[in-house]
Amino acid sequence: NAGTNKAASSSTTLNTRKLDEETENLAHERVPTELKKAIMHARMEKKLTQSQLAQMINEKPQIIQEYESGKAIPNQQIIGKLERALGAKLRGK
């Protein structure tokens, strides 16, 4: 039995069990539906394409597309830029 560290192995199984019992689903926050619609609506009002809007805020067109499709992880800086470019309040109605 020499050379085995019983304490370490038992705490490892406890930690593993804790992880297994952890039911919280860890996923990134996504763009809420209201925000998607607000961005799209404000962009349409200004008659801008996603590419034009992206250019105005110095971001890639893909970013705008991800926000409007709800796939993006909300970034307050980008939302702030969008609000300024579109002249619309997008968060916290």
Side-chain angles (χ1 to χ4, degrees):
N1 206 12
T4 61
N5 187 343
K6 258 194 148 140
S9 67
S10 69
S11 72
T12 307
T13 53
L14 280 175
N15 287 342
T16 308
R17 187 178 311 130
K18 263 188 202 165
L19 284 173
D20 289 343
E21 289 169 0
E22 188 62 56
T23 55
E24 187 181 357
N25 188 1
L26 297 177
H28 286 294
E29 184 187 340
R30 295 285 182 220
V31 176
T33 308
E34 312 84 66
L35 181 59
K36 292 190 316 194
K37 288 178 180 169
I39 294 170
M40 226 179 293
H41 182 73
R43 180 176 61 79
M44 303 283 201
E45 288 282 305
K46 293 250 182 205
K47 295 179 172 49
L48 293 169
T49 64
Q50 289 180 343
S51 298
Q52 289 168 325
L53 178 56
Q55 203 169 12
M56 285 173 72
I57 65 166
N58 291 325
E59 294 291 345
K60 293 186 176 103
Q62 182 187 352
I63 300 283
I64 306 298
Q65 195 255 317
E66 285 174 358
Y67 269 82
E68 289 188 1
S69 67
K71 291 188 178 101
I73 296 165
N75 176 327
Q76 295 307 314
Q77 282 183 311
I78 292 176
I79 295 169
K81 287 188 206 176
L82 286 168
E83 286 179 332
R84 284 190 294 279
L86 296 168
K89 193 156 170 52
L90 301 173
R91 50 194 162 170
K93 295 276 180 261

